[in-house]
Amino acid sequence: MPTKEEIEEENKKIRHLRFIIDFTTNIIMQTDTPLSEAQRMIEGTRRFATTLFPGKEEVYDLIYKPRFRRILSERYVIPGSRG
């Protein structure tokens, strides 16, 4: 059973990750960030997430990868993509 401190620390990590994800999303959607830079930022969020939550790469890919894929497809014309 996790301690109260462990639960609080986990919640703090989750809030921090959400902030970084939202911040990255806002920068991509609201600025003239080039596609290559947006892709680097997204990869940076993944590295950050796996630093906070080691071994949870699949969870990141399941939750956030589709979100970022949608954002990129809405914001940029990506060669080889439909739409």
Side-chain angles (χ1 to χ4, degrees), residues 6-22:
E6 290 170 333
I7 292 170
E8 288 174 359
E9 182 62 27
E10 185 84 358
N11 287 335
K12 182 179 175 182
K13 288 180 186 180
I14 291 168
R15 284 192 309 275
H16 196 174
L17 178 59
R18 284 183 185 153
F19 174 81
I20 296 300
I21 296 291
D22 290 343

Side-chain angles (χ1 to χ4, degrees), residues 1-61:
M1 190 87 171
T3 66
K4 181 180 178 184
E5 291 79 20
E6 290 170 333
I7 292 170
E8 288 174 359
E9 182 62 27
E10 185 84 358
N11 287 335
K12 182 179 175 182
K13 288 180 186 180
I14 291 168
R15 284 192 309 275
H16 196 174
L17 178 59
R18 284 183 185 153
F19 174 81
I20 296 300
I21 296 291
D22 290 343
F23 185 73
T24 302
T25 298
N26 289 337
I27 289 174
I28 293 169
M29 293 299 291
Q30 297 176 8
T31 67
D32 292 330
T33 305
L35 175 59
S36 61
E37 181 63 23
Q39 290 170 325
R40 280 193 294 273
M41 291 169 61
I42 292 167
E43 182 55 35
T45 65
R46 188 176 192 278
R47 283 191 309 273
F48 179 74
T50 58
T51 299
L52 287 178
F53 303 100
K56 300 294 184 182
E57 293 85 358
E58 290 179 11
V59 175
Y60 177 92
D61 290 343

